[in-house]
Amino acid sequence: MKKPMTVTVICIRIFTIYLASLLFSCENINTGPGGPPLPDEKPLPQPVSASVTISLNGKTLVSYECRSPNAVIDTDRLMIELNSTDTRHAFMGYVGNNHSGNYPLSENQQQGKATISIYSAPGRPADSIPAHLTPTAGALQLSALNGKTCSGTFSGTLKDVKGRNYAINGQFTNIPVRAIGEGK
């Protein structure tokens, strides 16, 4: 003969079923810190920053923070623009790929490599920088690229025809990326 269930046993079984259903029903719900935001929540904006430093023979000629950095991604390349606030200097970076990695610098745009160039307006003789500098030694490290933002660092050097050694260094963090590939 079967023993009748006591109220305690019934409560324990109901509680166990309740916990199991709660566990399985909450598996795909975004419920808190660390998870994706709920549909009515907006993600916190990530700080955007970018800076560029240009030096000649070890002496800093120009160092600037970029207020409106931007990037464009195509199906197989990323282009980054970091302009000075006074619009006298423009950094253009090209990465011949569409994912994070370390890309050696090259004079020409090519797959698997990076090109960085500085374009400068004529300035005072003390900070005179050639109109165009494209370092060929160094690298661009693309540490993050998620389709919406990109982050990384770059460092490059070159020697001009007069034997002067230029260096271009900088960083960019959480720069907005706009997709321009086919069908986008």
Side-chain angles (χ1 to χ4, degrees), residues 12 22-23 37 39 42 45 47-48 53 55-57 74 88 93 101-102 106-108 125-126 134 145-146 149 156:
I12 291 173
L22 187 62
L23 175 69
K42 291 183 179 176
V48 176
T53 301
S55 58
L56 171 62
N57 295 326
D74 201 347
R88 293 193 44 192
N102 189 37
S106 172
E107 187 172 2
N108 300 312
T134 300
L145 178 61
N146 63 17
T149 63

Side-chain angles (χ1 to χ4, degrees), residues 57-118:
N57 295 326
K59 179 184 174 200
T60 299
L61 296 176
V62 173
S63 186
Y64 65 87
E65 297 287 322
C66 181
R67 280 196 202 154
S68 302
N70 66 75
V72 177
I73 192 165
D74 201 347
T75 53
D76 62 349
R77 63 187 156 267
L78 174 72
M79 292 156 278
I80 303 165
E81 181 180 31
L82 311 174
N83 297 328
S84 64
T85 55
D86 63 4
T87 67
R88 293 193 44 192
H89 308 285
F91 168 92
M92 296 299 294
Y94 165 92
V95 178
N97 221 319
N98 60 6
H99 60 273
S100 301
N102 189 37
Y103 297 94
L105 296 183
S106 172
E107 187 172 2
N108 300 312
Q109 298 177 0
Q110 43 186 304
Q111 192 68 20
K113 297 200 175 186
T115 302
I116 62 174
S117 296
I118 291 285

